[in-house]
């Protein structure tokens, strides 16, 4: 019987919703391109419920306890005395989330000799030290595609919000004013601008597809070139480097996983090569941007706006400068955990657990690390021997 | 020599921008469908400057005074002692804006015996009593298409903002929290939802086109059916009435001009026919919605969110309930006056004035009223003998 340690974000301080804003969420047939949605044998929740927080438990308790397993759910994840660290020594399986990352460092993996499976309830497992997981022979799996479209929607929303100066204009309403000139002296149309994505995987491509009818000029850079048919369909220009891309773009959106090549990619040097007054939207990983370089660029006017929902570390401390820098449109890390996404990743975690317990293979597209090497989705995004460290040290951010 | 009275919104209280956020705005080749952008002989401004407020003067002073005309620019528009009303008795031409509407009622037209031309620096001239203008033999012209795409972008931004619960999530960042569950307990993906537009003219169609790749189900209602080829291209379902449309939609966007058929169309009765938890976005005209019915629906949960940037009257009083109702994402009336749109409507006003003074015909597509009848764009959107009154009385809003 397995012990499952599940680290989730806190319950709402405003109380659990007595009734939800909506009665149902749309039923999707499949993901773009044909991948099927998660196919667990059963789920013990109603899609549209809040599942991602501690008392939501990803809807797993009945399933796990019914099979005789132990489930520990906590949001206490940081430091040596945290519940997470205390539960690790006899944990068989860890389930964590990018939104509230339980950083699974090499040190922590060393403290968990029985740990065989780490599941990310979401996508991108950079909070796990993948090298240590490979060396241990662990399996690392995530629910590929579960919230890629959620994030792509967030990106388009934030691009429009920055370019059109949405939030400052909203604030004039709440303050009781009708200061149109103040609202619009920083408000532009997106139409005709050049928009580029750093990486064109599932999210980046979905962003490009959604932006195409806005009559913008599309650009991308990626390790992997898109098929010619897709480049032609989207009328998108390939750049071999981020540097080449940012020189021509009015809006840049980052949709790349975090790995050593992307860590601090957007530093003072690269930002200086952007067009003055460009907008930057980063819903990928906080560490891809140099925190203080972003603040400097907004203060100088080199960047006209910055938005995104990824930070380092997470949760961001109260005094994180991105909370107060000018012309930002940040959210906490929420883009991939809409109620719609939660239904999919909770079902995906259930599917992975069913497979694991029943000795059936986990879907190839869910696997990041398996059998002592990068696998499936992991091999696409990361490089062996050159993976992220899962560090929780805030100091790394500044290096 | 003509006296031109131009009513524009106030200058920024935070001061005129010393430098703009961006160095230029994109150069567009033409509007969608091929209509050319405004073609004045010359403009005396740099595209991207703030032109729409009092000291911006739409960039017209040098042009008008150079030809010996008189230009009065003011933002003081309401009541019998306003500058606008005091300047009317010998005005030949009135230029006004929907954002800061100088309501040109029948009474005011009666007080302006020399008035021959009313130009809307923007689109939709419902702040002018078109019937009185017809009877006087006036010409009413607007800069058709100048900001239709601007508004369409605003609509898509607001739909995503409401559905994904953007602004409340941003507010948690600013407050210093990391309350993911509180953010997302009202956050959904747009994907798979049914979205309908009331009217599918230039703006409504542009909204549909931009939403198509979001994999939503599209619906519309309009007086004029779209060509079959467009219906098929957008895979959009026609409804003969707004009532039929709202019953099936998760998101409804209003893109219809104001006329007696649309005034207070969204009242308690119609809202009751919407799906519980639907979102309503109105960037068309405030009077199309019953003010207090909207507030009631948000408070009861019948509507999950309301956004838009049109109010009645404008400017909205400090105690307008739409400033404080729950789950709103309102802006002042700014969607059609981005710096990008200003460059186009200022050039369009200049084109209309050049034509008028030189006795050349004004473009057919700019004409709302001419030669004693509804003309061009006006004949498409309004019906003779059944047009809006241009009233400034707030009381009308509640009838």
């Amino acid at each position: 019987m397995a012990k499952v340690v599940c680290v989730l974000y806190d319950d709402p301080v405003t109380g659990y919703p007595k009734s939800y804003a909506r009665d149902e969420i749309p039923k999707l047939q499949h993901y773009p391109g044909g991948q099927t949605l998660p196919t667990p044998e059963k789920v013990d929740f109603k899609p549209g419920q809040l599942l991602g927080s501690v008392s939501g438990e990803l809807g797993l308790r009945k399933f796990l306890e019914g099979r005789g397993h132990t489930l520990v759910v906590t949001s206490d994840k940081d430091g040596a005395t945290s519940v997470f660290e205390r539960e690790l020594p006899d944990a068989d399986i860890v389930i964590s989330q990018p939104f509230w990352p339980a950083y699974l460092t090499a040190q922590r993996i060393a403290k968990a000799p029985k740990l065989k499976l780490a599941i990310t309830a979401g996508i991108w497992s950079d909070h796990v030290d993948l090298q240590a997981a490979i060396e241990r022979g662990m399996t690392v799996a995530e629910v590929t595609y579960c919230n890629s479209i959620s994030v792509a929607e967030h990106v388009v929303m934030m691009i429009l919000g920055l370019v059109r100066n949405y939030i400052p204009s909203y604030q004039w309403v709440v303050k009781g004013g009708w200061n149109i000139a103040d609202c619009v002296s920083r408000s532009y149309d997106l139409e005709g601008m050049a928009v580029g994505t750093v990486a064109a995987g599932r999210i980046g491509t979905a962003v490009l597809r959604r932006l195409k009818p806005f009559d913008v000029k599309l650009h991308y850079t990626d390790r992997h070139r898109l098929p010619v048919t897709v480049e032609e369909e989207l009328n998108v220009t390939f750049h071999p480097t981020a540097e080449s891309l940012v020189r021509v773009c009015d809006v840049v959106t980052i949709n790349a996983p975090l790995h050593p090549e992307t860590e601090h990619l957007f530093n003072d040097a690269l930002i200086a090569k952007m067009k003055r007054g460009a907008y930057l939207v980063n819903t990928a990983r906080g560490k891809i941007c140099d925190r203080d370089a972003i603040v400097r660029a907004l203060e100088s006017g080199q960047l006209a706006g910055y938005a995104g929902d990824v930070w380092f570390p997470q949760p961001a401390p109260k005094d994180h400068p991105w909370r107060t820098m000018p012309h930002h449109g940040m959210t906490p890390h929420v883009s991939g955990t809409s109620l719609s996404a939660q239904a999919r990743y909770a079902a995906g975690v259930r599917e992975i657990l069913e497979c694991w317990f029943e000795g059936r293979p986990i879907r190839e597209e869910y696997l990041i690390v398996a059998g002592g090497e990068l696998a499936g989705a992991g091999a696409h995004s990361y490089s062996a021997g050159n993976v992220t460290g899962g560090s929780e040290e805030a100091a790394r951010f500044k290096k």
Side-chain angles (χ1 to χ4, degrees), chain A:
Chain A
M1 294 298 99
K3 172 169 168 178
V4 180
V5 179
C6 183
V7 184
L8 300 176
Y9 48 77
D10 288 316
D11 286 318
V13 295
T14 51
Y16 242 66
K18 280 178 202 69
S19 76
Y20 289 92
R22 302 180 49 74
D23 297 326
E24 55 182 12
I25 59 173
K27 283 183 190 63
L28 307 182
Q29 299 306 308
H30 54 73
Y31 296 113
Q35 184 186 315
T36 56
L37 270 72
T39 50
E41 287 158 22
K42 186 171 177 288
V43 297
D44 298 314
F45 59 84
K46 185 172 175 295
Q49 285 178 331
L50 185 57
L51 302 164
S53 60
V54 168
S55 60
E57 299 182 327
L58 299 178
L60 291 174
R61 185 166 297 276
K62 188 175 161 193
F63 160 69
L64 287 171
E65 293 184 348
R67 296 196 179 200
H69 305 297
T70 306
L71 174 66
V72 176
V73 183
T74 183
S75 66
D76 184 20
K77 68 185 184 71
D78 293 325
T81 60
S82 63
V83 173
F84 178 48
E85 192 133 338
R86 293 204 313 269
E87 298 286 350
L88 273 176
D90 60 347
D92 300 282
I93 298 171
V94 165
I95 303 171
S96 61
Q97 294 173 310
F99 325 108
W100 186 264
Y103 297 102
L104 204 52
T105 58
Q107 293 83 340
R108 282 179 162 172
I109 288 173
K111 284 186 190 168
K114 299 173 67 183
L115 185 59
K116 283 286 181 316
L117 174 64
I119 304 175
T120 300
I123 62 169
W124 295 354
S125 302
D126 51 89
H127 57 288
V128 178
D129 189 317
L130 298 181
Q131 193 59 42
I134 289 169
E135 287 161 16
R136 163 69 65 81
M138 278 172 59
T139 295
V140 180
E142 59 188 42
V143 190
T144 303
Y145 230 143
C146 68
N147 53 14
S148 304
I149 300 303
S150 316
V151 177
E153 290 185 3
H154 219 68
V155 172
V156 176
M157 174 187 80
M158 286 179 154
I159 290 173
L160 289 167
L162 289 181
V163 171
R164 306 197 62 76
N165 206 33
Y166 185 18
I167 292 176
S169 305
Y170 164 84
Q171 288 167 331
W172 276 113
V173 167
V174 175
K175 282 186 279 190
W178 193 265
N179 300 63
I180 296 178
D182 295 86
C183 297
V184 300
S185 59
R186 294 186 68 87
S187 173
Y188 296 87
D189 293 350
L190 181 61
E191 186 187 24
M193 288 191 179
V195 186
T197 175
V198 175
R202 291 178 184 81
I203 298 172
T205 308
V207 170
L208 292 173
R209 236 177 256 292
R210 279 157 182 72
L211 287 173
K212 184 164 190 286
F214 284 87
D215 292 330
V216 289
K217 299 176 191 79
L218 294 175
H219 299 263
Y220 83 104
T221 182
D222 198 302
R223 293 178 174 194
H224 307 274
R225 186 105 185 228
L226 289 169
V228 177
T229 50
V230 176
E231 283 192 1
E232 285 174 356
E233 176 207 334
L234 297 174
N235 192 21
V236 59
T237 304
F238 172 74
H239 294 259
T241 63
E243 196 179 308
S244 158
L245 177 126
V246 303
R247 286 183 188 280
V248 299
C249 285
D250 302 292
V251 181
V252 174
T253 156
I254 305 173
N255 298 294
L258 177 67
H259 49 67
E261 281 170 49
T262 56
E263 189 167 344
H264 293 162
L265 175 65
F266 281 79
N267 55 17
D268 286 313
L270 188 63
I271 294 170
K273 287 169 183 145
M274 298 177 77
K275 292 172 79 168
R276 190 193 81 90
Y279 304 91
L280 185 57
V281 172
N282 176 15
T283 53
R285 285 298 178 256
K287 273 190 190 174
I288 296 174
C289 294
D290 177 318
R291 187 191 69 179
D292 297 333
I294 297 296
V295 177
R296 283 189 288 273
L298 289 167
E299 287 174 348
S300 74
Q302 173 62 12
L303 284 178
Y306 182 92
D309 76 334
V310 288
W311 307 63
F312 188 79
Q314 294 189 175
K318 259 187 167 345
D319 63 352
H320 195 295
W322 288 5
R323 293 183 186 273
T324 49
M325 62 191 179
H327 310 308
H328 84 75
M330 301 294 297
T331 53
H333 195 168
V334 295
S335 65
T337 183
S338 59
L339 296 177
S340 322
Q342 290 178 41
R344 292 189 293 267
Y345 70 64
V349 170
R350 170 89 177 239
E351 176 190 338
I352 291 167
L353 289 170
E354 287 176 359
C355 290
W356 183 261
F357 292 134
E358 293 162 19
R360 289 185 283 125
I362 294 168
R363 287 196 209 192
E364 183 70 14
E365 66 253 34
Y366 289 168
L367 293 173
I368 303 302
V369 168
E373 57 183 20
L374 287 169
H380 183 89
S381 300
Y382 305 98
S383 309
N386 185 17
V387 293
T388 50
S391 172
E392 63 174 322
E393 296 151 43
R396 273 177 65 92
F397 193 81
K398 293 187 178 173
K399 81 174 180 193

